[in-house]
């Protein structure tokens, strides 16, 4: 039978079903979810500390309840834990938003919320080592990976922009400028959310064909150059 290394190191009280072990599981669940929630809150995401703590603690209590029922009922299946994963996944999916600029917001927080529920289950199951390893990896993904990801995307040959022109008649001029720079348009959509704003707004998928641009220019520099066009009211890269 597998026993958790950390629980073994702490002693029998952390291994068994006693009150000390149960409180340790709840405390671990609360601490890691608070840290994850703080990380999300500092980046102004809607699902902050309270949401992550509630999800994690609920998952912890559910799997402990499942464990108790399994000890009392022969052949019991952990149905509550399975249902909790589905519930958390549903909450996470509903936290993803599509903005008026056709951008997806909250996708990372949604995934973090789901992962937080999983960590709550592992903590409640007494898998302290697995919980801590998962927590560290999740924090690395949330805190350090974005820097690497932004750099990678900024040098990619493909990107999407949100473009606001002062008048629709300038769209052809903008397309001509892109072609001269060595950038092709893969897809272009009119954004209906700005229909009454007086602006012509588009979501455009671009590919960089010019070898010089690929080698020496980032997306940020390209967008800064395009923003200097007199008929461009606003332009920015679309990111998730």
């Amino acid at each position: 039978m597998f026993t958790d290394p950390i629980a073994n190191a702490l002693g029998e009280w952390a291994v068994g079903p006693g009150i000390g072990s149960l409180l340790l599981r709840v405390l671990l669940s609360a601490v890691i979810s608070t840290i994850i929630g703080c990380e999300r809150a500092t980046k102004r995401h809607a699902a902050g500390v309270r949401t992550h703590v509630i999800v994690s603690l609920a998952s912890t209590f559910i799997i402990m309840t499942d464990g108790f029922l399994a000890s009392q009922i022969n052949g019991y299946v952990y149905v509550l834990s399975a249902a909790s994963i589905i519930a958390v996944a549903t909450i996470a999916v509903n936290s993803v938003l599509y903005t008026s600029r056709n951008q997806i917001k909250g996708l990372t927080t949604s995934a973090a919320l789901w992962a937080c529920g999983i960590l709550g289950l592992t903590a409640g199951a007494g898998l302290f080592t697995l919980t801590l390893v998962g927590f560290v990896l999740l924090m690395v993904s949330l805190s350090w990976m974005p820097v690497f990801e932004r750099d990678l995307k900024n040098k990619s040959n493909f990107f999407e922009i949100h473009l606001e022109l002062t008048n629709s008649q300038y769209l052809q001029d903008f397309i001509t400028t892109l072609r001269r720079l060595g950038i092709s348009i893969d897809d272009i959509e009119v954004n209906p959310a700005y229909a009454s704003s007086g602006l012509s707004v588009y979501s455009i998928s671009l590919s960089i064909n010019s070898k010089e641009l690929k080698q020496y220019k980032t997306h940020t520099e390209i967008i800064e150059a395009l923003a200097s066009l007199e008929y461009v009211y606003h332009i920015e890269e679309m990111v998730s």
Side-chain angles (χ1 to χ4, degrees):
M1 180 180 177
F2 172 81
T3 52
D4 185 79
I6 292 179
N8 282 336
L10 292 174
E12 291 186 6
W13 68 271
V15 178
I19 187 66
S21 177
L22 297 180
L23 290 178
L24 176 60
R25 299 175 191 189
V26 173
L27 179 62
L28 178 60
S29 176
V31 170
I32 64 173
S33 59
T34 297
I35 296 173
I36 295 170
C38 285
E39 192 280 336
R40 292 286 83 193
T42 57
K43 296 180 179 177
R44 299 183 180 180
H45 293 285
V49 179
R50 289 179 299 173
T51 306
H52 284 81
V53 171
I54 290 171
V55 166
S56 184
L57 286 179
S59 298
T60 300
F61 288 127
I62 283 173
I63 197 168
M64 289 194 298
T65 302
D66 262 344
F68 171 76
L69 293 175
S71 68
Q72 302 295 314
I73 305 172
N74 290 331
Y76 178 79
V77 180
Y78 281 53
V79 291
L80 296 179
S81 300
S84 73
I85 293 300
I86 296 173
V88 172
T90 302
I91 294 171
V93 168
N94 289 333
S95 68
V96 177
L97 300 174
Y98 291 85
T99 69
S100 59
R101 297 182 179 182
N102 288 334
Q103 291 178 283
I104 301 175
K105 295 293 185 180
L107 191 58
T108 300
T109 299
S110 173
L113 193 61
W114 176 76
C116 196
I118 298 294
L119 292 178
L121 289 176
T122 59
L127 301 174
F128 305 125
T129 303
L130 181 61
T131 302
L132 290 176
V133 170
F135 165 69
V136 171
L137 292 176
L138 180 58
M139 288 303 298
V140 167
S141 298
L142 293 174
S143 302
W144 297 346
M145 284 296 181
V147 178
F148 170 73
E149 188 177 29
R150 279 195 299 269
D151 184 63
L152 194 63
K153 286 183 176 180
N154 205 25
K155 295 177 180 178
S156 168
N157 294 332
F158 310 97
F159 64 108
E160 292 181 289
I161 60 170
H162 169 83
L163 174 67
E164 299 176 12
L165 300 177
T166 54
N167 194 297
S168 60
Q169 68 182 8
Y170 293 117
L171 179 60
Q172 187 57 52
D173 294 335
F174 184 79
I175 293 173
T176 301
T177 301
L178 289 178
R179 288 172 177 168
R180 288 174 179 172
L181 289 173
I183 301 173
S184 61
I185 295 178
D186 298 325
D187 186 48
I188 182 169
E189 294 181 5
V190 178
N191 194 322
Y194 294 81
S196 60
S197 67
L199 298 171
S200 296
V201 183
Y202 307 90
S203 298
I204 307 177
S205 299
L206 304 173
S207 294
I208 302 174
N209 300 319
S210 167
K211 292 182 179 179
E212 183 180 352
L213 284 181
K214 289 179 181 179
Q215 186 172 1
Y216 299 110
K217 299 297 182 181
T218 64
H219 298 175
T220 301
E221 292 170 324
I222 293 173
I223 288 174
E224 285 177 354
L226 293 173
S228 64
L229 297 171
E230 61 180 11
Y231 51 79
V232 174
Y233 182 79
H234 178 74
I235 182 173
E236 65 180 57
E237 184 171 6
M238 295 171 61
V239 295
S240 354

